[in-house]
Amino acid sequence: LVFGLSFIISSSFYCILLIYMPLNFVIKDFFEVFKPLIYGFIFISGMLISEYLDEEKIINYILASVVFLVVFSSLVFFPQTYPFLDLYKGRTSDAAYNFHFFRFSGSLGYPGGFGYWLVLGIQVTMLAYYKSMLSSKKFMLLYGLGLLGLVFSGARGAVIIFVLSSLLFFLSTPTKRKTFFFSILFILLLISFLAFLFSGQSDIQAIAHFQKLLENAGGGTFGHRASELERLFEALSDGRLLGAGPNNYFIKSTYGPVESAYYFYGYKFGLVGLLAYGFLIYTFLVMGVKLFFYRFTLNLPFIVSCWALLNLVVAGVSNSITEEYKSFYMFFLLSGIVYKQYIDKFEPQFNKKKH
């Protein structure tokens, strides 16, 4: 089923490319129409890999990755490491505008994408503690490290996803004694962070990034992303229901880089692209709602479902976790792994409860 849907979507994208063949054709235009097929193969690979992994192994791997990537990111404080870090950064240390270089980004190049993945690591840290996989001391250390990495990434969208995902976590575990304690702690941390932002201009560039948003909420990248959505609505309103095709050369040279996931799928591939993106959202929505309804919430499929939904629906306005070239494969691989766990472990239990 996954392969069949991927093939149909890619075939539809290919037809749109042929209809709107750009004058300045680039190789990227050709490869973009086959992305759904590639994503389908990666998703299926994740389902196959899940046969050899249990939930505890995956959680431990994610926790180890959080520690490594945050520590790796901290190398920006040591000038001797800059030549090495330049290999991983989207903006190098000697760039004319090297602001992004000093923001934490792990090995993913750009701090925005890193921030979204770090939110997953923070939520998995919570899950591990609730499942008694971590002592209180280890939890506080890992949770604090994750929060530190998130703040120093300067990823404003990721902070919003962190707040929303934390609220979902607390709402899904209302009867747990730990939930009350962490709800209070979470509120205090949030208030403290906001108070710090308003207290004065920081010399730390990642934190200064947040403060610039408070000074000019409509400027910078937010203005660019808002214009993308505006162009998308205009195109659909004008009857361009099949989009404009990939047309990467024209879009980049005329409007700049594509940021929004909705713009990527809707402007390039019209209703077909939005339908494909909507199907991905629907998959995680069904999985998350069923797990919540039947009260199976302290597990990896539920945590990943909530995180993925927030990234696809909310963060999709300003970012695209499915299209980040350094991490898209991780998203679909992890999606395949947790989906296989979901259908093998939880679907049979749903059927038992029905009867």
Side-chain angles (χ1 to χ4, degrees):
L1 178 62
V2 173
F3 176 79
L5 285 171
S6 301
F7 181 79
I8 292 171
I9 294 170
S10 279
S11 298
S12 302
F13 283 6
Y14 184 67
C15 291
I16 292 172
L17 171 65
L18 293 178
I19 295 171
Y20 299 105
M21 180 64 72
L23 294 174
N24 296 301
F25 179 81
V26 293
I27 296 298
K28 188 177 180 181
D29 294 337
F30 179 76
F31 282 112
E32 278 189 354
V33 303
F34 293 105
K35 275 187 174 182
L37 196 59
I38 296 170
Y39 296 164
F41 275 120
I42 297 172
F43 188 92
I44 293 170
S45 298
M47 294 181 70
L48 296 174
I49 290 172
S50 69
E51 299 287 346
Y52 306 97
L53 297 170
D54 57 32
E55 187 174 76
E56 188 170 338
K57 285 182 180 178
I58 302 170
I59 290 174
N60 285 330
Y61 174 76
I62 293 174
L63 296 180
S65 298
V66 168
V67 174
F68 173 76
L69 292 175
V70 173
V71 172
F72 179 78
S73 297
S74 67
L75 293 177
V76 295
F77 296 120
F78 304 95
Q80 298 86 349
T81 65
Y82 288 0
F84 174 66
L85 292 179
D86 284 340
L87 300 173
Y88 294 90
K89 291 286 186 176
R91 299 278 178 87
T92 58
S93 58
D94 58 354
Y97 183 70
N98 61 0
F99 176 74
H100 286 298
F101 176 84
F102 294 99
R103 293 166 59 190
F104 281 19
S105 58
S107 59
L108 302 184
Y110 292 95
F114 175 66
Y116 292 119
W117 279 100
L118 201 53
V119 171
L120 176 63
I122 294 171
Q123 296 307 303
V124 171
T125 303
M126 289 281 288
L127 174 65
Y129 183 57
Y130 270 64
K131 293 173 76 70
S132 301
M133 292 175 59
L134 294 173
S135 65
S136 297
K137 289 182 179 179
K138 284 185 178 179
F139 166 74
M140 293 303 291
L141 179 63
L142 287 173
Y143 194 76
L145 190 67
L147 286 178
L148 186 70
L150 184 61
V151 170
F152 278 82
S153 74
R156 298 168 295 192
V159 170
I160 295 173
I161 299 302
F162 166 69
V163 172
L164 294 176
S165 60
S166 296
L167 290 174
L168 280 176
F169 189 98
F170 298 145
L171 289 172
S172 67
T173 56
T175 59
K176 300 290 182 180
R177 185 183 299 178
K178 294 175 181 177
T179 295
F180 176 76
F181 168 76
F182 285 119
S183 298
I184 300 299
L185 178 62
F186 171 72
I187 293 171
L188 291 175
L189 286 171
L190 185 60
I191 293 173
S192 299
F193 181 58
L194 291 174
F196 179 74
L197 291 182
F198 283 102
S199 64
Q201 194 65 32
S202 173
D203 293 329
I204 300 173
Q205 298 214 40
I207 296 175
H209 192 54
F210 287 105
Q211 294 175 326
K212 285 183 180 179
L213 173 62
L214 299 176
E215 296 170 3
N216 183 18
T221 57
F222 277 81
H224 175 71
R225 288 154 183 169
S227 67
E228 285 186 337
L229 295 179
E230 186 179 346
R231 285 195 300 274
L232 171 59
F233 287 129
E234 287 178 355
L236 294 176
S237 300
D238 291 342
R240 285 177 280 173
L241 302 183
L242 291 179
N247 217 340
N248 282 283
Y249 179 85
F250 171 77
I251 292 174
K252 187 172 183 179
S253 61
T254 308
Y255 305 117
V258 175
E259 300 282 357
S260 167
Y262 295 110
Y263 182 72
F264 175 86
Y265 285 100
Y267 190 80
K268 292 186 175 186
F269 302 106
L271 293 181
V272 177
L274 291 175
L275 186 65
Y277 193 68
F279 177 76
L280 190 61
I281 293 172
Y282 175 77
T283 301
F284 286 107
L285 180 63
V286 170
M287 189 160 58
V289 168
K290 278 191 173 184
L291 288 167
F292 181 80
F293 180 78
Y294 288 104
R295 300 186 183 280
F296 294 111
T297 54
L298 284 177
N299 55 73
L300 199 58
F302 181 75
I303 295 297
V304 173
S305 294
C306 292
W307 171 78
L309 270 174
L310 290 171
N311 274 283
L312 293 170
V313 178
V314 181
V317 173
S318 62
N319 207 304
S320 179
I321 199 165
T322 62
E323 309 306 319
E324 291 280 355
Y325 74 97
K326 282 192 175 182
S327 61
F328 74 88
Y329 65 92
M330 296 193 301
F331 178 81
F332 289 100
L333 191 70
L334 180 62
S335 298
I337 291 172
V338 298
Y339 186 73
K340 187 66 165 63
Q341 291 181 338
Y342 164 78
I343 59 177
D344 285 350
K345 184 177 180 180
F346 297 106
E347 281 284 3
Q349 297 188 55
F350 298 160
N351 295 328
K352 285 181 182 179
K353 288 198 173 188
K354 287 179 182 178
H355 301 294

